Amino acid sequence: MLETERLLLRPLRVDDVGAYVSLHAHEEVSRFLGSYSRSEALDRLTAVERQWAARGHGRCAIELRSTGDFIGVSGLRYWESFDEVEIAWTLRPDRWGHGYATEAAGAWLDWGFRELPDRYFTAMIRPANTRSIRVAERLGFRPLRQDTLFDRPTTVYSLSRPGDRDGGMR
Ligand SMILES: CC(C)(COP(=O)(O)OP(=O)(O)OC[C@H]1O[C@@H](n2cnc3c(N)ncnc32)[C@H](O)[C@@H]1OP(=O)(O)O)[C@@H](O)C(=O)NCCC(=O)NCCS
């Protein structure tokens, strides 16, 4: 569990399924991340719980400290196919424009570079996802490579450990 000035970040659980389905039902979110039936969402949340158990980190619900509202998801996702850890961010559209995604991801970067051995973290972003690119760039991520994710072109951004001069290459 992480706390920032305005946010509480706590592990995403299978019983968040209602909020998770509703988050991905917004067209502005599903456009880039897809939408899920309840049973698909349960599968994904089960995988999130598995990653938490296996690696001691994972994706979190973002709650507003002032109200307790569930406003989105952020945290760490391990990609076995790339052997890389991604910092993820998604917000309900009615919570865009307040800096919450940047605040949550910044807290994960601080935590990740403190607690994990990784020399860099990634953010995988579709070229048309300009809001997400702005979040990545504000945090200091830079394009590392072009890749394909779920059959769609994706830019893999990376942010290196402070002081690491290899620019995100391992
Ligand atoms: C990607 C996504 C999380 C970005 O949301 P966002 O609200 O633009 O990002 P933040 O919460 O960091 O807010 C930043 C914006 O708030 C503004 N802002 C207002 N108050 C602020 C504050 N106190 N601190 C920082 N920024 C603030 C910033 O100027 C910025 O606006 P700008 O980009 O127009 O300059 C959101 O668009 C989303 O959920 N998209 C769908 C899911 C998705 O694509 N996820 C990413 C997959 S790669």
Side-chain angles (χ1 to χ4, degrees):
M1 184 117 63
L2 291 183
E3 271 190 56
T4 66
E5 188 187 338
R6 298 177 293 176
L7 309 173
L8 183 66
L9 309 169
R10 55 108 184 127
L12 202 55
R13 304 177 297 248
V14 160
D15 59 11
D16 290 312
V17 62
Y20 192 77
V21 168
S22 134
L23 174 67
H24 285 263
H26 293 282
E27 196 278 331
E28 301 94 318
V29 172
S30 63
R31 174 177 172 213
F32 294 112
L33 300 182
S35 61
Y36 304 111
S37 66
R38 190 178 165 83
S39 98
E40 288 166 337
L42 282 171
D43 286 348
R44 292 182 67 91
L45 292 171
T46 302
V48 168
E49 286 193 349
R50 253 200 317 270
Q51 185 189 311
W52 270 102
R55 308 187 75 87
H57 59 70
R59 271 162 288 168
C60 276
I62 306 176
E63 294 179 354
L64 275 188
R65 284 176 59 183
S66 56
T67 60
D69 289 352
F70 178 114
I71 64 164
V73 169
S74 182
L76 304 182
R77 175 170 184 175
Y78 176 67
W79 288 87
E80 199 158 359
S81 44
F82 304 110
D83 190 24
E84 289 173 336
V85 176
E86 179 186 24
I87 312 275
W89 46 73
T90 301
L91 294 175
R92 297 176 54 95
D94 60 348
R95 304 299 186 159
W96 293 7
H98 299 277
Y100 295 138
T102 305
E103 186 170 320
W108 282 116
L109 284 166
D110 289 347
W111 184 89
F113 284 129
R114 199 171 59 239
E115 302 290 338
L116 301 178
D118 300 61
R119 290 179 58 193
Y120 67 97
F121 295 105
T122 62
M124 305 211 217
I125 309 180
R126 311 253 187 254
N129 196 346
T130 50
R131 289 198 82 107
S132 189
I133 291 169
R134 283 208 295 275
V135 172
E137 289 179 341
R138 225 180 344 261
L139 289 162
F141 282 86
R142 295 293 175 261
L144 174 65
R145 64 174 188 270
Q146 299 300 319
D147 224 310
T148 302
L149 200 60
F150 306 120
D151 295 329
R152 292 167 73 182
T154 299
T155 306
V156 180
Y157 288 75
S158 75
L159 179 58
S160 296
R161 179 175 289 280
D164 190 330
R165 301 193 319 162
D166 291 349
M169 307 306 290
R170 294 201 280 198

